[in-house]
Amino acid sequence: MKLLHILGLVSVLWLTGCAAPGSANKDSASGLPSTDGAVGTASVGTAPPLRPIRAANASHVGVASLAAPTDLWDRIRRGFAMPDLDQDLVRDRELWYASRPDYMQRMTERSSKYLFHIVEELELRGMPTELALLPYIESAFNPMAVSSAKAVGMWQFMPATGSDYQLKQNAFRDDRRDVLASTRAALDYLQRLYGMFGDWHLALAAYNWGEGNVGRAIARNQKQGLGTSYTDLNMPAETRMYVPKLQAVKNIVAHPERFNTELPLIENHPYFQTVDITRDIDVSLVASLAGVREQDFRELNPSLHKPIILAAGMPQILLPWDNAQVFRKNLEAYTEGQYASWTVWSVPTTMSVSAAAQRVGMNEADLRSVNQIPPRMLIKAGSALMVPRGNAIQADVPGQLADNGQVAFTPEIVTRRTTVRAGKRDSVATIARRYKVTTADIATWNDVKSTASFKAGESVVVYLPVRASSGVQAAAPARSNTSRQAASRRGTPRKAAAPAATSRKGGTPSRVKKR
């Protein structure tokens, strides 16, 4: 009995020790506020006893909502993380947007196809969700938008900047308009700019004006002992208004009721999903198999230039969420013939549009239309033209051509048959040098040998270019012998190649838009 009594007494003492105030408190490391408002950081075994939170400190304790966002607008609001800009320019833009409800309605409805994806990408990167609203400022969420400076797409990329961020721009697609690719590139660019300047307002200014311009503006202010924040810098009017515009849209999204505005419902779930493409296939066939209008398909895949999707260059497309599965099932069951009625032809030599059309069996107007060939242009050798695909062609367009194909042009030069007088000791060779043509041309036009000489005063036929603006004749550049023979036989003015035109992309600044 004594032994049982002693064991019972020991058990009581042990339990009392476990509950003593001086024992280790394992909850002390949970981050609960202490009496002075600081978060507890004491290690296990040394933490002081828990104390109540003072009323003065209670407001600083954030409580995260457990409820999922009711819609995408709510989700965007929860991710706001940029400092607010409070100035008269913001209030001016608030009034501008709020007084145009029809414009706001069109813009927000257009964004409903793309906004969920952008918010997802921002959250994955830990970036402020205000940036999801930036395409409202850039393009009104129109992926087909083109600025006066030739910036393109929702995110308004210039050609050179697009290339810097791996946005393909070829004869078949322009990834500056692609929903996924352009969003990835824009967020990459914005992250890089934020890393350079350490301030979101300056990063946005650089996105609009160019990082070099912003850097120089900061350096000028530093040299003069002035501030270097966004509001301190001397910048163009467009850039000065850029962040206030975004702040105004942010304020309207945050509190639409204050502006007598109603935002259209955008559900907090994906609008589209990606679908793999393994064969070249017509856009019209995809739309038909998916059960969507071709216009709706192009709104999700706005980078496409042509009536065909080249699998080697664009292995994925976007379809509305429910239609994606419809497309997969219908494609699997499709047995009505080839998927693609178009293919790509690499032009073997510089030629006229009419000659190219005859070579591929197309109407000249149709060839011009599908390949966007302007008037009075020759097609340069190596150009990748979209042409009909015959039943005998089984192979799809190879990756190198699908990814890098371009169409290049050179101006046509109209020439006129002209008679000149030979001088003393003139030959085919001397006249050819004088008029900058080949000896073969002079020989062909005059039905003589290339080594022939002319008598003084003898009439010599040459074909010289006519300048359209003034009608003044100019020296003709070298041309192919074949084209001149044909022109000579016809006895009519002919068209010949001129030196290649300079690239329209040359000298484009990295990122400056003037709209």
Side-chain angles (χ1 to χ4, degrees):
M1 291 294 290
K2 281 186 176 182
L3 181 59
L4 292 174
H5 181 72
I6 292 170
L7 289 173
L9 183 61
V10 170
S11 299
V12 170
L13 290 173
W14 182 78
L15 290 170
T16 303
C18 287
S23 64
N25 179 8
K26 295 182 179 180
D27 291 335
S28 64
S30 65
L32 291 173
S34 60
T35 54
D36 61 357
V39 176
T41 57
S43 61
V44 174
T46 61
L50 298 177
R51 299 183 179 92
I53 301 173
R54 295 186 309 186
N57 298 321
S59 62
H60 298 291
V61 180
V63 180
S65 172
L66 297 178
T70 55
D71 59 24
L72 198 56
W73 300 117
D74 187 24
R75 183 175 176 182
I76 291 172
R77 294 181 194 111
R78 296 185 188 193
F80 284 166
M82 287 169 52
D84 286 330
L85 188 66
D86 184 15
Q87 56 177 214
D88 289 341
L89 288 178
V90 175
R91 286 178 279 280
D92 174 79
R93 293 299 89 188
E94 287 173 346
L95 180 61
W96 193 92
Y97 286 116
S99 63
R100 290 164 172 79
D102 292 344
Y103 174 74
M104 288 292 292
Q105 184 75 15
R106 289 195 306 273
M107 192 165 63
T108 50
E109 285 181 351
R110 191 185 295 135
S111 72
S112 64
K113 297 178 176 66
Y114 320 112
L115 204 52
F116 180 90
H117 172 73
I118 297 172
V119 174
E120 286 269 294
E121 290 299 306
L122 288 168
E123 290 180 346
L124 285 172
R125 295 167 181 248
M127 298 172 72
T129 53
E130 291 99 323
L131 297 173
L133 309 176
L134 193 59
Y136 288 123
I137 312 306
E138 286 287 343
S139 63
F141 261 102
N142 179 8
M144 302 306 294
V146 181
S147 78
S148 60
K150 306 303 179 186
V152 164
M154 280 195 302
W155 296 96
Q156 289 288 279
F157 272 98
M158 297 290 288
T161 313
S163 297
D164 289 344
Y165 286 87
Q166 294 78 53
L167 297 178
K168 287 281 185 181
Q169 301 158 61
N170 59 37
F172 315 113
R173 71 181 200 273
D174 187 343
D175 284 348
R176 294 179 295 164
R177 292 191 171 102
D178 185 90
V179 176
L180 304 187
S182 68
T183 298
R184 183 266 309 157
L187 300 192
D188 284 349
Y189 189 25
L190 285 165
Q191 280 186 309
R192 174 175 168 267
L193 293 172
Y194 180 72
M196 291 175 64
F197 298 105
D199 178 279
W200 278 115
H201 292 167
L202 292 176
L204 288 167
Y207 189 86
N208 175 258
W209 191 26
E211 60 264 39
N213 290 323
V214 172
R216 286 186 287 273
I218 290 174
R220 283 194 297 270
N221 277 24
Q222 287 175 333
K223 188 175 181 179
Q224 299 172 26
L226 302 175
T228 57
S229 70
Y230 174 80
T231 54
D232 294 322
L233 300 184
N234 183 20
M235 57 184 68
E238 179 185 330
T239 310
R240 170 67 59 208
M241 294 294 294
Y242 194 66
V243 175
K245 285 180 181 180
L246 181 63
Q247 183 69 53
V249 173
K250 172 185 175 179
N251 293 345
I252 293 172
V253 169
H255 302 287
E257 69 284 351
R258 294 182 185 176
F259 302 93
N260 196 28
T261 299
E262 184 176 351
L263 299 175
L265 175 65
I266 302 180
E267 300 285 353
N268 187 27
H269 62 68
Y271 182 88
F272 57 75
Q273 61 176 294
T274 59
V275 175
D276 292 336
I277 295 295
T278 59
R279 294 289 309 274
D280 293 355
I281 186 169
D282 289 345
V283 169
S284 58
L285 180 59
V286 172
S288 175
L289 295 178
V292 299
R293 295 185 309 161
E294 188 170 327
Q295 177 185 345
D296 295 331
F297 173 82
R298 289 191 177 276
E299 286 178 359
L300 286 180
N301 301 272
S303 66
L304 287 169
H305 281 170
K306 305 302 180 188
I308 185 177
I309 302 162
L310 303 179
M314 193 172 180
Q316 286 188 327
I317 59 171
L318 303 183
L319 286 173
W321 189 267
D322 293 335
N323 298 88
Q325 188 59 26
V326 172
F327 171 76
R328 292 188 187 100
K329 289 182 178 178
N330 287 339
L331 181 64
E332 187 177 350
Y334 183 75
T335 58
E336 297 180 18
Q338 64 182 15
Y339 299 127
S341 56
W342 298 90
T343 189
V344 177
W345 176 54
S346 186
V347 179
T349 185
T350 299
M351 63 177 64
S352 67
V353 180
S354 59
Q358 186 176 11
R359 182 81 68 90
V360 299
M362 280 185 77
N363 175 278
E364 182 178 340
D366 292 339
L367 184 67
R368 285 187 181 276
S369 176
V370 76
N371 291 284
Q372 298 173 325
I373 303 173
R376 295 180 297 281
M377 288 289 176
L378 299 175
I379 307 166
K380 291 186 71 174
S383 291
L385 294 186
M386 189 68 59
V387 299
R389 174 172 171 169
N391 294 329
I393 300 176
Q394 298 299 321
D396 289 336
V397 176
Q400 176 64 21
L401 196 54
D403 236 7
N404 301 292
Q406 300 285 354
V407 180
F409 307 110
T410 187
E412 291 178 337
I413 295 179
V414 178
T415 60
R416 178 178 298 164
R417 187 180 188 275
T418 306
T419 301
V420 299
R421 296 292 180 184
K424 290 181 179 180
R425 295 185 294 276
D426 256 341
S427 65
V428 170
T430 60
I431 291 180
R433 283 196 299 271
R434 185 179 307 153
Y435 293 101
K436 296 182 174 64
V437 295
T438 67
T439 55
D441 284 336
I442 297 295
T444 300
W445 295 337
N446 292 275
D447 196 21
V448 296
K449 294 181 179 180
S450 297
T451 57
S453 296
F454 297 106
K455 296 178 181 179
E458 184 178 350
S459 296
V460 181
V461 174
V462 293
Y463 282 86
L464 301 180
V466 178
R467 293 175 184 170
S469 58
S470 62
V472 179
Q473 294 180 352
R479 301 175 182 86
S480 71
N481 188 38
T482 304
S483 65
R484 282 175 176 75
Q485 288 175 337
S488 179
R489 286 194 298 269
R490 288 194 302 268
T492 57
R494 58 183 178 73
K495 299 175 181 178
T502 56
S503 169
R504 287 171 291 185
K505 294 183 180 180
T508 303
S510 173
R511 173 77 194 183
V512 180
K513 303 191 302 300
K514 300 296 180 187
R515 292 194 300 275

